[in-house]
Amino acid sequence: RLYFTALENDKANHQFSPEEKKLVAEKIALLMCQSGRSEMAEKILSSFGFNCRLSRAVLDYQLDSNRSISNGSLSGGTSKPPCLLLDNFLTNGELKALKDVFADQAANYWQSHNYQVEPASPYVSYLIPFSEVTKEDRFGLIGHVASKIYRSILEEFPLLSKAKYVEMWAHNRPHASGHQMHFDSDNEGLGGIRNPIVSTILYLSDKDVGGPSLITNQKLIHRHLATKGWLCHPKEKRLVAFDGKVLHGVIPGKGAVVSDNRRVTIMFAFWKSIKERSGGGAAQPF
């Protein structure tokens, strides 16, 4: 009611541009969807031309980060999930070393890449030839973690034995910031879609900071939308690995967070073939 009252008042004052009105509408509709008021959001969304959204069970997710989750495949009925979850994947020493680099948004890694969330900064990732990934004198902790991931998930994803490269990138986002549904692809899909063998997410942030990752069973070759989805909540030291061909994203965190902590993740994707590039964008040499 307050939203539509504001719009009515704005008709005379013309305070907001159409783009600003749409952005405000999206934020308010999301708040409603995440607080048990999805029916109220429908009028706002439809007035801006939206005709579909993620389900109530996804957007208004349960806050218990341990619900229906244990080491192994994420629970999801009788069909085999395309994903694997491993808790306590990192040692305390590995976690501390990674957080020293990635946890603080003022850290050198983020500043040197001019990283920001809104508007989003350009995508940046680094590529390591897999035959050299264990050369810790050159690739250090990142090479060590990539090799550890490979060894830990190879049995579940045997096609990893064909991996020739590992791509690494990272995100540091506020609690309420999500990430659009997408397919991982070489150079963000420019020149055609090419997916990795396996993609992985390593969580460095505390539980209940930021929303869960949503992993679906939808692939680009399918002519239908996803029929199943799995939510993986952030938790320190947690690793989730999934088929690199499936649609996935991040649900915006709901509710309020008392601290200034952010959702910090490192991604590793394993490729059979990918082009190394220079110039500061995707797949640049590590």
Side-chain angles (χ1 to χ4, degrees), residues 187-261:
N187 201 25
E188 298 191 280
L190 298 176
I193 303 296
R194 297 170 300 280
N195 305 120
I197 303 169
V198 173
S199 293
T200 67
I201 306 167
L202 186 58
Y203 301 92
L204 304 185
S205 47
D206 298 331
K207 73 174 187 176
D208 299 331
V209 177
S213 303
L214 172 61
I215 301 163
T216 77
N217 62 351
Q218 181 181 340
K219 298 181 180 179
L220 194 63
I221 60 173
H222 292 163
R223 294 181 177 272
H224 56 78
L225 296 177
T227 58
K228 288 186 179 294
W230 293 264
L231 292 175
C232 178
H233 292 260
K235 184 180 180 183
E236 280 188 347
K237 306 182 185 180
R238 173 171 285 173
L239 175 77
V240 63
F242 54 94
D243 184 339
K245 294 184 175 65
V246 299
L247 184 70
H248 61 284
V250 178
I251 307 306
K254 73 174 192 176
V257 174
V258 177
S259 70
D260 293 328
N261 291 344

Side-chain angles (χ1 to χ4, degrees), residues 89-90 94 128-136 139-154 160 165-168 200 202 239 268-270:
F89 177 78
L90 296 172
E94 291 166 343
I128 302 175
F130 198 72
S131 61
E132 302 180 28
V133 75
T134 56
K135 294 182 178 179
E136 297 193 12
F139 300 112
L141 181 60
I142 294 298
H144 166 77
V145 172
S147 181
K148 184 177 180 179
I149 292 173
Y150 176 87
R151 296 192 307 270
S152 300
I153 67 175
L154 179 59
L160 266 184
Y165 299 91
V166 58
E167 182 185 16
M168 168 265 166
T200 67
L202 186 58
L239 175 77
F268 294 86
F270 296 83

Side-chain angles (χ1 to χ4, degrees), residues 12-27:
N13 300 322
H14 304 291
Q15 294 176 329
F16 304 110
S17 68
E19 293 76 16
E20 289 172 329
K21 290 180 182 179
K22 184 177 181 181
L23 179 60
V24 171
E26 290 176 359
K27 298 293 187 183

Side-chain angles (χ1 to χ4, degrees), residues 55 57 101 150 157 175 180 215 258 274 276:
S55 72
V101 177
Y150 176 87
F157 300 98
H175 171 72
Q180 67 186 18
I215 301 163
V258 177
I274 184 174
E276 186 178 277

